[in-house]
Amino acid sequence: MKANVMQQKRCNRYMFIVLACVFALNLACKNEGDMAKQKVDTPTKVIEKNDINRVEPLNWWVGFKNPKLQLLVHHPNIFQTTPEISCQGVSIEKVHKADSPNYLFIDLNIAKTTTPGKFNIIFKKEGEADLIHTYELKSRKKPAEDFKGFTSSDAVYLITPDRFSNGNPNNDIVNSLKEKSIDRTNGYARHGGDIVGITNHLDYIDDMGFTAVWSCPVLTNDMPQSSYHGYAITDYYQIDPRYGTLNDYINLSEALSKRGMKLIMDQVANHCGIAHWWMKDLPFKDWINHQENYEKNINNWNNSKSITTNHRRTTNQDIYASKRDKENMSVGWFVSVMPDLNQRNPFMATYTIQNSIWWIETANLGGIRQDTYPYPDKDFMSQWAGEIMHEYPNFSIVGEEWSYNPLLIGYWQTGANNRDGYESNLKSPMDFAMQRFIVEALNEEEQWDTGLVKMYEGLANDFYYATPKDIMIFPDNHDMSRIFTQLHGNVVNTKMALSYLLTLPRIPQVYYGTEILMHDFDNPGDHGLIRSDFPGGWKGDKVNAFTGQGLKPDQKHMQSFLRKLLNYRKESKAIHNGKTIHFAPENGVYVLFRIADGETVVHILNKNSSTVKLDLYRFNEIGLNGKTLKNIITGENIKWTDSITLTEKGSIILTTKFN
């Protein structure tokens, strides 16, 4: 009996101990849970440090469809360290070492629930002090769907910023950069134009009727000479200090947005400048094309050592192209001082895509113009454009395809029925073909197969394009002779060219100074001359195109002509998205109609110097008989009846819209 009592006491004691342990364990778990909850609810204060030379992208955002982010880390012997992160919602998926010991590439995953804020990346190495870099995830200022790209309702003003206006003379010379001089008499030197200069003259650009500004690249080009154009980038995350600051660029974008206008950024995925910071320490053996050749000749580099592209862009589509020609086109350097980037390297590909997205978010962009579009790896370009458009479904990208063959232009547009199955994801190629047709049509004598028929047949090529209205048309740009030069100084023909392209189913782009007949007659095709200073952009200029002071009569008339046409176009649904009907040229007269929502725009091109009568019965299918139309430029009204008498050569633009 006594033994049974003792046994019962022992069992009770054991039960008490077990229950006590369970209680203590539950209490500990509860306290741990409460502590964990407290850690989530109360963000840990981050002590900011920046021990690492370079981490790119400079920051990122929460809320992207793609949760992945790859950081490029550059620091002496960083490969010996192990990075760690303590941030809820952010995890390191993988760390990649490069061929150079001075790089790490860190793959992060950013969960949808991640809150914006700063956190530290700690680089640990046994026996040495930790290296710390503070990184920030920002909240996005607006939904991705609200990034609206340019469309056929826009008219784009292209500017070479160094040559437009010097808004801040204090940044003309930056002693830390290689080129340290200003010389406005030298077409290939820097002249001092900057971002503030553009912002200062938005009243003028807006008043002219433009709705978007495309500036040639404004990122740092720290080259020894002749890099004012911006296409030899040496830092993809820095505004060139001679153009201003990142805040200046953001301010320009915000000022445009307040006016309902858009900022288009010129980007370069194909090549960088040879003085780019990574050229002294390339992360991988295949970071650039022909890297072995460059590294072998780096100490005596010159034009003869460079393996440059053959520029045979047709190899992208040519079913008969040799492997050698294909490779020479896409792998060769653009020029000897602009190394070709190797987008087949997955780290380079990711870097380039993330850089574009970074600028869209940072500067609230309304579009990207991508330079030398057919030169990089075309599968990468499809990926690049596709990932951007996936994140920003209403965005716009225009790619430079300098080809006069509509088949090649159409190949690059999204939705094209390409037999090789290629899908570019590119909304807008550039219409170099139509630009040439316009110039030839106006310069040639009228015959069966020359003259205005070139325009007519050029526009007829639209049957091939997936969406013609999304193609960008232009009279000239920063790389070709001014349209006034191409048309041999003929003012009337220049007006005809501009009025025609501004009424086409296209997105029009006009280069700064075209409105005042800037030219390059002294040395046609010379880039320095093509990109001359806009008069009035510098203090002390005797001629000021912004105010009209000192302009010649022809310049004032052209400026007024374009202003009236552009401002009408701004509100014309018929021009933006209307149906297009044109009639084959007859007797030196070509007529085109744009029709939508009760509005009809009539464009008449007349190459006759003597009086001619235009029979209107030919156009009965348009349904204008008996209606009154207004001349967009002169404001005069005409009755659409039997005929119109054309008394002089030129263009006439009529509309049924009176308000």
Side-chain angles (χ1 to χ4, degrees), residues 38 40-41 44 51 94 103 145 153 158 175 189 207 233 252 258 278 303 310 316 377 410 444 481 483 491 523 582:
Q38 184 177 4
V40 172
D41 292 343
T44 305
D51 297 332
K94 193 170 184 180
Y103 288 88
E145 293 75 14
S153 64
L158 167 59
N175 288 323
D207 179 65
I233 295 169
L252 170 61
K258 288 176 182 177
W278 60 40
N303 288 341
N310 59 21
N316 281 299
D377 179 78
E444 293 174 351
S481 273
I483 186 63
V491 176
N523 189 12
H582 65 161

Side-chain angles (χ1 to χ4, degrees), residues 112 205 269 315 344 352 370 383 389 429 433 480 526 531 540 596:
K112 290 182 179 180
I205 298 170
T315 57
R344 291 170 295 279
T352 305
Q370 184 60 251
Q383 179 192 1
M389 296 306 295
M480 61 167 58
D526 179 77
R531 306 160 185 169

Side-chain angles (χ1 to χ4, degrees), residues 1-260:
M1 182 72 175
K2 185 176 180 181
N4 289 338
V5 170
M6 294 297 294
Q7 180 67 29
Q8 183 65 41
K9 286 183 177 179
R10 281 196 296 270
C11 288
N12 290 341
R13 187 162 58 247
Y14 292 151
M15 182 64 70
F16 175 81
I17 292 171
V18 170
L19 291 173
C21 290
V22 170
F23 177 80
L25 182 61
N26 286 339
L27 181 63
C29 289
K30 183 175 185 302
N31 289 339
E32 186 178 348
D34 290 343
M35 289 174 65
K37 186 175 186 299
Q38 184 177 4
K39 287 179 182 178
V40 172
D41 292 343
T42 306
T44 305
K45 185 177 180 180
V46 174
I47 299 175
E48 294 191 36
K49 291 190 71 178
N50 291 288
D51 297 332
I52 304 299
N53 284 352
R54 190 180 292 267
V55 176
E56 294 177 344
L58 306 182
N59 63 271
W60 205 241
W61 293 264
V62 297
F64 282 119
K65 295 175 185 176
N66 183 356
K68 298 184 183 300
L69 171 66
Q70 186 174 89
L71 300 180
L72 176 154
V73 181
H74 185 238
H75 193 82
N77 290 314
I78 195 69
F79 84 109
Q80 296 176 339
T81 68
T82 300
E84 294 181 359
I85 289 174
S86 179
C87 176
Q88 179 133 0
V90 182
S91 58
I92 295 177
E93 291 195 336
K94 193 170 184 180
V95 178
H96 308 266
K97 294 183 180 181
D99 294 325
S100 164
N102 304 320
Y103 288 88
L104 284 179
F105 290 82
I106 306 174
D107 291 345
L108 301 183
N109 188 289
I110 304 168
K112 290 182 179 180
T113 56
T114 306
T115 57
K118 295 181 180 180
F119 61 91
N120 284 333
I121 308 173
I122 303 171
F123 296 84
K124 292 182 172 292
K125 181 183 177 185
E126 188 175 350
E128 294 188 8
D130 293 344
L131 297 175
I132 299 174
H133 180 83
T134 303
Y135 200 77
E136 183 175 9
L137 294 175
K138 297 182 178 182
S139 58
R140 299 174 73 181
K141 293 182 179 179
K142 64 182 186 182
E145 293 75 14
D146 289 350
F147 283 83
K148 306 288 187 183
F150 53 85
T151 67
S152 55
S153 64
D154 287 301
V156 180
Y157 195 57
L158 167 59
I159 295 171
T160 298
D162 183 64
R163 306 298 168 86
F164 187 65
S165 176
N166 190 350
N168 180 12
N170 293 327
N171 62 23
D172 287 357
I173 296 174
V174 177
N175 288 323
S176 61
L177 300 179
K178 295 179 176 64
E179 190 174 9
K180 298 180 174 64
S181 62
I182 294 289
D183 183 1
R184 291 183 66 196
T185 66
N186 182 347
Y188 292 87
R190 289 189 175 264
H191 292 191
D194 50 34
I195 295 168
V196 173
I198 298 172
T199 308
N200 288 347
H201 293 293
L202 290 185
D203 281 346
Y204 170 81
I205 298 170
D206 192 0
D207 179 65
M208 280 296 300
F210 294 101
T211 62
V213 170
W214 155 21
S215 162
C216 291
V218 292
L219 301 185
T220 297
N221 277 225
D222 190 14
M223 302 285 282
Q225 61 187 13
S226 303
S227 65
Y228 68 91
H229 48 70
Y231 292 97
I233 295 169
T234 58
D235 191 325
Y236 280 93
Y237 282 96
Q238 184 186 60
I239 297 293
D240 195 304
R242 290 160 293 198
Y243 289 148
T245 64
L246 177 59
N247 282 338
D248 289 336
Y249 194 59
I250 293 172
N251 289 341
L252 170 61
S253 180
E254 289 177 347
L256 285 164
S257 293
K258 288 176 182 177
R259 297 169 180 267

